[in-house]
Every structure is written in structure tokens, then in C-alpha cells.
Amino acid sequence: MVQNVIFDVDGTLVDSVDEHAEAWRRAFLEFGRDVPFAHVRSQIGKGADQLLPVFFTEDELEKFGQELSDYRSALFKREFMPKLRPFPQVRELFQRLRQDGLKLVLASSANEDELERYIRLCRIEGLTHGETSKSDVSKSKPNPDIFDAAMERLGRPDPHSVVVIGDTPFDALAAGKLGLPSVGLRCGGFPEDDLRTAGCRDVYQDPAELLARYESSSNTWPWTAESLSSKDEESR
């Protein structure tokens, strides 16, 4: 059975994808690059190290990449973070899973101070077995570093006892590189087909639907480690 759950945060637990995209778009404008919102949004889920090379050359990033990233970070914290809200029933989902003995870890590429604010916003203080943040990894998703760090927090359990829950194709791609099954949530705005193509074994709307499915399945996940593995075999 699934005994460990690794949760992405932005777009999965907190409604923040549009805000991140707009902060990046405005930062790009400040540095002379006018990129359509939809194009920027399609890359949200990556950290700055993976996102910026999509829009700027290596020479440009050498000249002002860190300055651009710092500008965006300050803009996001100042103008967008105060507007963020958690998706419905995040706390209730975490409480129920903890009640039934599951271990939960947050895997976020956010800065530590941003992650701490998200935890307070979702009211899940004390409900996880650990968190990872930008400072724990050298490369962001779709590289697997953030989920590898989360596995370390869990004590390196059998991958078949773990499921990753995220909202972007980059979550599924990163999880797959470690042999971890993933489940996608549509609340981050990515199409279901994109999530499944990237490797998500099941797709749900949001944390509230996950909780409803859990409770309607006699307090087990609507999928088991065995069913996730069988879906993996079918997709090969």
C-alpha cells in the first residue's frame, strides 16, 4: 500500500501559478523581453535555473540572470504573495492522511521563507514529516533533485510505497526519473492530457477531490501501490 506521499506545493496546495507567471512576465519586461503570458505560464513548475534558459541566451543570463531572478523574487513577494490562497480542504486532507499513519513531505523549489508562508497559509504546521526547498537542491524540476531530497526526508523508503502529487508535467517527469509514481491535479491549470503524457497515473481536480475519493474508498487511496505499478507497466 502507499505509505508515503510527497506533495508539490505551488499549484498543488496553493493557488499561485498565474501569480508566478505574471511576476516572471513583468520581470522579463523589465529586462527587455516581452513574452506572452501563456508562454511564460507553460513553464511554471520549473525553478529559475530551468525556466530562464527557455527565454534568454547563455550570454544574457551571464550578464543579468541573477539580477533578473532577484527582481522577480522581490516583485512576487511584494505584489503577489499577499493575494495567494490555499486550495480547499488542504488541511483536512493532511489531517486525514496523518490520522491513518501516512508520512507526508513537501517538495518545493520555493525559497525557505516562501515555503514557511505557504505552510502557514495552508494551516498544515506540524502535519508533515519534513520539507524541501530551493536551498536543498542544485537543479530544479524536471530534474529529480527535489524529490530525491524528499525521499531522504522520508528515510529512503521503497519507491513502490511512495506517490508524488503535483500539478505540472514537470512534477511527473521528475518523479519518473526516480521510479516514483505520480498523480496529477488539474487545479494548477495544466491539461489532463499533458499530465498523463508526462507520466501521471491518475488525475484529479484538486486536494478536495483527493480527500473525497480517499474517504469514499474506505480510507485508502483511490489507487494502491500495486495499481499504480500496473498502470506503469501498461504505459510501457
Side-chain angles (χ1 to χ4, degrees):
M1 297 293 294
V2 172
Q3 299 173 321
N4 308 275
V5 186
I6 299 174
F7 283 95
D8 172 57
V9 179
D10 278 298
T12 299
L13 306 179
V14 178
D15 189 359
S16 58
V17 175
D18 284 350
E19 286 76 9
H20 277 295
E22 181 61 15
W24 277 118
R25 190 192 69 80
R26 286 174 52 181
F28 292 169
L29 277 175
E30 186 70 17
F31 286 79
R33 189 65 43 83
D34 188 359
V35 181
F37 176 83
H39 191 186
V40 180
R41 196 187 194 286
S42 72
Q43 299 299 311
I44 300 301
K46 298 178 178 180
D49 63 309
Q50 301 299 311
L51 184 149
L52 286 174
V54 175
F55 303 102
F56 294 89
T57 67
E58 187 174 336
D59 286 345
E60 288 172 327
L61 294 178
E62 182 70 26
K63 291 177 183 177
F64 56 75
Q66 187 59 53
E67 184 182 357
L68 191 163
S69 184
D70 291 345
Y71 179 90
R72 186 227 55 103
S73 181
L75 174 66
F76 179 76
K77 291 176 183 178
R78 182 177 68 250
E79 296 193 23
F80 294 97
M81 187 170 278
K83 304 174 184 178
L84 301 184
R85 296 293 180 267
F87 289 112
Q89 295 192 286
V90 170
R91 176 177 170 81
E92 291 82 357
L93 173 62
F94 275 52
Q95 286 178 318
R96 191 52 179 271
L97 299 182
R98 281 297 303 268
Q99 177 185 322
D100 289 343
L102 279 78
K103 292 185 177 181
L104 315 178
V105 168
L106 303 180
S108 172
S109 297
N111 294 320
E112 288 184 18
D113 57 339
E114 292 178 13
L115 181 57
E116 289 175 3
R117 180 156 182 167
Y118 291 154
I119 291 170
R120 293 194 301 271
L121 189 65
C122 293
R123 299 185 299 120
I124 53 174
E125 302 97 322
L127 293 178
T128 72
H129 288 79
E131 301 88 31
T132 66
S133 66
K134 182 179 180 180
S135 63
D136 294 308
V137 300
S138 58
K139 294 181 179 180
S140 66
K141 293 175 284 190
N143 292 288
D145 302 31
I146 200 73
F147 293 140
D148 190 55
M151 288 290 283
E152 185 69 26
R153 300 289 192 278
L154 288 168
R156 295 288 172 192
D158 185 329
H160 289 98
S161 72
V162 182
V163 67
V164 170
I165 298 178
D167 70 297
T168 78
F170 311 119
D171 295 311
L173 291 169
K177 290 172 183 176
L178 297 177
L180 300 174
S182 59
V183 169
L185 300 185
R186 293 188 299 270
C187 50
F190 285 84
E192 179 171 346
D193 286 349
D194 290 359
L195 295 172
R196 291 191 182 276
T197 298
C200 289
R201 319 297 169 76
D202 273 315
V203 178
Y204 299 92
Q205 178 56 38
D206 55 18
E209 184 179 4
L210 272 181
L211 177 59
R213 292 296 187 93
Y214 182 84
E215 293 189 331
S216 68
S217 303
S218 301
N219 301 338
T220 62
W221 285 111
W223 17 260
T224 64
E226 185 177 75
S227 71
L228 288 171
S229 296
S230 65
K231 289 180 182 183
D232 186 32
E233 292 298 325
E234 291 169 4
S235 67
R236 292 178 183 175

